[in-house]
Amino acid sequence: MTRSAIAAIDRITEAHQVGRRGGCRLVLDGPPREGTAVEVEVATCPGKGDDVVAIDDTQVFLSREARVGLAEKVLDVREDLEGHYTFLIENAGR
């Protein structure tokens, strides 16, 4: 996760008051490719079968298949002028 993505997830989870166990679940519709937008859902805790990726207190939940597919990828975010976030998959090392 980029610093921008971590900050965005923190703002989202704070706004939804999900608590310390909460985070965001990444929803992928197919194999993660560079530039692919990713749907993010706020979750109060990991779901059954979710893997947890945590950096400090920021948590992202995803399926095992998604985690394997994202092994060489980075989660980034873009914020538009209205404050809406678009989460994107980027190749690591960019």
Side-chain angles (χ1 to χ4, degrees), residues 4-17 77 79 85:
S4 298
I6 292 168
I9 291 168
D10 287 345
R11 285 192 293 271
I12 291 168
T13 56
E14 286 172 14
H16 285 85
Q17 301 177 347
V77 69
E79 184 176 2
Y85 299 113

Side-chain angles (χ1 to χ4, degrees), residues 2-58:
T2 64
R3 289 183 192 160
S4 298
I6 292 168
I9 291 168
D10 287 345
R11 285 192 293 271
I12 291 168
T13 56
E14 286 172 14
H16 285 85
Q17 301 177 347
V18 297
R20 297 193 75 206
R21 292 195 65 221
C24 287
R25 180 172 292 108
L26 300 185
V27 180
L28 302 172
D29 291 331
R33 294 188 183 92
E34 183 173 12
T36 300
V38 178
E39 185 178 338
V40 174
E41 300 174 346
V42 177
T44 57
C45 62
K48 185 175 181 172
D50 279 349
D51 279 355
V52 178
V53 177
I55 297 177
D56 298 323
D57 291 332
T58 304

Side-chain angles (χ1 to χ4, degrees), residues 72-90:
E72 299 297 323
K73 308 289 185 198
V74 174
L75 180 66
D76 197 8
V77 69
R78 301 289 183 266
E79 184 176 2
D80 67 19
L81 295 174
E82 297 174 358
H84 298 111
Y85 299 113
T86 301
F87 288 88
L88 304 164
I89 302 297
E90 301 290 343

